[in-house]
Amino acid sequence: MKTWILAVCATLMIVPAMAADKHKDCNELKTEIDAGLQKKGVKDYSLDVVEADKAGDAKVVGSCEAGKKKVTYHKGK
């Protein structure tokens, strides 16, 4: 019984954290992706935040505002 209660409590703590990540601010996400690319030594690229349905053939590297917008990556500036 204690194990079951512990499992339920853990689940209730994890689910809101996962949901909050899906509602991440686009500028914050873009900054995090940019930092990761710079850390890996990637140069000459641009990141753009676009409406989800406007991403087209661009490489999508992130999603924000509950999936309403996408962060896209383009080689070259």
Side-chain angles (χ1 to χ4, degrees), residues 4-70:
W4 184 81
I5 292 173
L6 183 61
V8 169
C9 289
T11 301
L12 292 175
M13 291 171 54
I14 292 171
V15 170
M18 291 171 54
D21 192 42
K22 292 185 182 206
H23 295 282
K24 184 170 276 202
D25 176 67
C26 291
N27 289 326
E28 180 184 347
L29 179 61
K30 184 178 172 183
T31 301
E32 290 173 7
I33 293 169
D34 185 48
L37 291 171
Q38 288 180 13
K39 185 177 178 181
K40 292 180 179 182
V42 178
K43 296 182 183 200
D44 297 323
Y45 65 89
S46 64
L47 296 172
D48 299 304
V49 177
V50 297
E51 297 294 325
D53 60 345
K54 305 279 192 243
D57 293 335
K59 182 173 183 177
V60 176
V61 294
S63 177
C64 50
E65 293 186 16
K68 293 178 185 174
K69 294 188 178 181
K70 304 287 182 188

